[in-house]
Amino acid sequence: MLQTPERVVATASHAHHNVPAHVGDTATGRDLLGALLVSVGFFTLYRVFRQDGYFSDGRFLIESVNAGEWWRHHVLYLPVGHFFRWLFQGWLGRDAEPSLHLLSSIPAAVAVGVTFLAGRRMGCGFAAALLASVLMGTSCSYWFFSTCVEVHGLHLLFAAVALLVATARGPGDAASALTTSLLLFGLIGSHLSGVLWIPAAVLWAFRKDRGWETPRNVGIAALFLLLASIGAWVALDGFASLTRRSWQIVTSSWTVENFLATIVWPAPLLVSAGVASGASLAMADRGAWRRPLGLATTALFLTALPFAFTMREGALGAYYVSLLPVLALTVGWAVHRGRVFQRLPRGALAIGVALVAANLTLSLRQVNEWEHRYAGVEWATRLFDEAEGSDLVLTRHGWESHTILRHSRLSTACWENATKRFDQLAEPVLWSRISKNEKGGGALWMTRAFRESKEPAVAELVQRLVQRYGEPRPGKGSDYWGFDVGASRGAPASATTPAGVLHQTKSPKSKIATTNRIGDR
């Protein structure tokens, strides 16, 4: 549990709390330089080890920016993504992917430096704050989302800035409701899991060290939140329905396995150290939870952790990644209060280096398994080398489509996914995709499972493709074939998809979600 250090002058009080004299004051030049070097160092690491694959929403985000779309449920990401593409297009080109990689690595790296500054602000020694921030920056889930195209790098920056603001508040200072609402807007706008911060933010804003008080700028903050909510409602075309669906998903099942998969395994060393540190701090100062920062920390975890038992997706801790800066500061404050680096300087240094090295090893192993040890990697890598980004791949099984979409920019049309959604209309849906691909000039490929399927409808579809394009040629691998689309012999008999089947939602922002449910792009 984080404790709020008192801003005191008396030497005895400093000795009791183990708080440096500069707590609550402006960061020193040494602190700012340390934060800058930490940020630059982690940015370099994240860029060097950036991923080639596309986790979760990664491809959709790239396609959304390339298509000129501005809104989806993480309302801040696409506008910032467009800004990054505009800012770096002279260097990186018009394709959004390299710019969005920077939108992950830059905010995430800056967040590591900001977390270091927050640790110094709350009273941690230089070494303790550095250890906490580096341990966070090398944690598995933090590293993963900092090296791929995803929304969480921006989300982590808002979380780190929120902690910097919280730790800079002195015992007698009144909180600013406007600042609190702006940070909440950033947290929620960058990822919807930011709603879990609302109770903590409200308690922190209204709580003083002794008693309660109304924060400054309440009226302006209320107006801002009202306008932001109306804007989100309009932009998302019905935020309430999205909220209801999200609530149904996260409350559908409660298991310990879900908790371990979403909280513990994504950052095992930091979570373990954070829990142990929080327990030791709570025992050392039982009144810490009543002070603003301690109360907010307690509320954040009491709000977030119950939901961690409900998430069934293998999301690598994505929905709770904003807890990592809080855990890091908990570790830093416990190390500082225990005077670990003063009592055992060499031992503490050795343990710190070992923890960071272990963290980095786990993080690199996780990324390596994601990028190079997936189902179908043997034939998929050869297909990726031979095909081009505008090509279409016909797949029989959902996992084949998943492999292709997660590790290339190729499009897929999956029979299994189409039949699950459209049943008897699956064949015209696929023909529509094939016709669209032909008009766009893309090559057509099919996997072994698709070509050799014993299902009558799929076998008939393959025969019609042969009639249209001729016999397929083998690819460089033995598990896929390609058609000579340029040898087309006329329009396919069922090229027209019944009205309303493929695009059941007309708005551009929902079209991507529709495609995602089919599993084909």
Side-chain angles (χ1 to χ4, degrees):
M1 181 186 300
L2 297 183
Q3 302 182 47
T4 309
E6 305 286 348
R7 184 184 296 175
V8 290
V9 179
T11 304
S13 182
H14 281 302
H16 176 71
H17 287 281
N18 294 316
V19 178
H22 66 266
V23 168
D25 299 330
T26 304
T28 66
R30 182 172 177 240
D31 294 338
L32 294 175
L33 178 60
L36 176 63
L37 292 177
V38 166
S39 296
V40 171
F42 272 95
F43 170 73
T44 303
L45 287 172
Y46 296 152
R47 288 293 293 167
V48 169
F49 291 98
R50 65 184 179 274
Q51 302 175 40
D52 295 321
Y54 306 96
F55 181 79
S56 190
D57 289 338
R59 270 190 54 155
F60 295 122
L61 296 171
I62 295 169
E63 292 167 2
S64 297
V65 174
N66 281 336
E69 297 173 7
W70 285 82
W71 303 109
R72 56 184 287 127
H73 51 287
H74 306 309
V75 294
L76 283 180
Y77 186 86
L78 290 185
V80 178
H82 280 289
F83 172 73
F84 264 62
R85 186 173 72 159
W86 170 81
L87 187 64
F88 295 108
Q89 65 182 356
W91 172 35
L92 299 174
R94 287 285 299 168
D95 182 40
E97 181 174 351
S99 297
L100 296 188
H101 261 294
L102 289 177
L103 185 49
S104 291
S105 56
I106 291 177
V110 172
V112 180
V114 172
T115 301
F116 166 79
L117 280 180
R120 292 293 284 152
R121 283 285 193 133
M122 71 180 295
C124 295
F126 193 95
L130 182 62
L131 173 63
S133 58
V134 172
L135 196 61
M136 178 189 74
T138 55
S139 294
C140 293
S141 57
Y142 199 106
W143 183 277
F144 190 93
F145 293 118
S146 302
T147 55
C148 70
V149 175
E150 255 293 357
V151 301
H152 306 288
L154 185 62
H155 186 58
L156 283 163
L157 179 58
F158 281 108
V161 171
L163 291 181
L164 181 63
V165 171
T167 54
R169 177 186 173 189
D173 296 342
S176 169
L178 180 60
T179 301
T180 305
S181 63
L182 286 170
L183 289 171
L184 271 179
F185 176 72
L187 282 163
I188 299 171
S190 56
H191 194 272
L192 285 177
S193 63
V195 298
L196 299 175
W197 284 67
I198 292 176
V202 172
L203 289 173
W204 176 82
F206 282 86
R207 181 67 178 174
K208 291 188 68 175
D209 271 16
R210 293 179 177 83
W212 303 83
E213 72 170 2
T214 302
R216 296 175 287 119
N217 313 124
V218 172
I220 299 176
L223 178 62
F224 168 77
L225 289 177
L226 176 63
L227 293 176
S229 300
I230 294 173
W233 184 284
V234 173
L236 296 175
D237 193 20
F239 182 74
S241 61
L242 175 65
T243 304
R244 284 195 298 270
R245 290 197 305 271
S246 301
W247 178 260
Q248 290 170 357
I249 291 173
V250 301
T251 58
S252 56
S253 65
W254 288 66
T255 67
V256 174
E257 289 78 9
N258 289 336
F259 177 81
L260 294 175
T262 56
I263 292 290
V264 180
W265 304 140
L269 296 181
L270 180 58
V271 170
S272 300
V275 171
S277 299
S280 66
L281 290 171
M283 293 177 64
D285 186 356
R286 298 180 184 275
W289 69 272
R290 296 187 180 92
R291 296 193 286 274
L293 193 56
L295 181 62
T297 304
T298 304
L300 176 61
F301 281 94
L302 288 179
T303 304
L305 293 184
F307 287 97
F309 287 90
T310 70
M311 298 304 298
R312 293 174 294 175
E313 302 180 58
L316 303 180
Y319 299 93
Y320 306 96
V321 73
S322 63
L323 299 180
L324 297 182
V326 183
L327 288 168
L329 289 188
T330 304
V331 173
W333 185 241
V335 170
H336 171 75
R337 281 293 300 266
R339 300 182 60 84
V340 176
F341 280 97
Q342 289 78 12
R343 294 174 179 175
L344 301 167
R346 293 183 180 179
L349 179 61
I351 293 173
V353 170
L355 286 173
V356 171
N359 240 3
L360 193 54
T361 300
L362 292 173
S363 297
L364 292 175
R365 179 182 297 175
Q366 176 177 264
V367 172
N368 181 67
E369 290 180 352
W370 163 256
E371 294 223 286
H372 305 293
R373 298 184 180 181
Y374 52 86
V377 64
E378 299 82 5
W379 59 265
T381 50
R382 291 191 288 268
L383 173 62
F384 301 156
D385 290 338
E386 191 171 359
E388 297 181 357
S390 59
D391 295 353
L392 176 67
V393 185
L394 302 176
T395 66
R396 172 63 184 84
H397 303 296
W399 71 265
E400 296 173 305
S401 183
H402 184 275
T403 286
I404 293 168
L405 295 176
R406 291 292 180 259
H407 300 281
S408 76
R409 295 282 289 273
L410 299 173
S411 298
T412 69
C414 176
W415 178 262
E416 179 182 345
N417 293 345
T419 53
K420 285 181 179 178
R421 185 173 183 201
F422 300 113
D423 196 17
Q424 300 299 321
L425 296 176
E427 184 179 350
V429 166
L430 262 64
W431 271 120
S432 176
R433 297 294 309 280
I434 293 168
S435 298
K436 182 179 180 181
N437 179 73
E438 182 180 317
K439 291 177 182 178
L444 181 63
W445 305 85
M446 63 179 172
T447 63
R448 175 182 292 276
F450 188 90
R451 185 186 186 190
E452 299 180 355
S453 174
K454 302 301 182 182
E455 188 172 349
V458 180
E460 181 183 350
L461 184 57
V462 172
Q463 289 303 314
R464 293 175 62 190
L465 289 170
V466 171
Q467 293 172 8
R468 178 168 174 76
Y469 300 117
E471 287 292 332
R473 57 180 174 81
K476 293 179 180 178
S478 59
D479 291 294
Y480 61 89
W481 287 261
F483 286 102
D484 184 5
V485 177
S488 172
R489 302 168 185 171
S494 301
T496 304
T497 304
V501 171
L502 189 57
H503 303 302
Q504 295 186 359
T505 310
K506 295 183 179 180
S507 63
K509 58 181 174 294
S510 59
K511 186 172 171 183
I512 289 180
T514 300
T515 311
N516 184 27
R517 289 193 296 270
I518 302 174
D520 316 298
R521 286 181 286 181

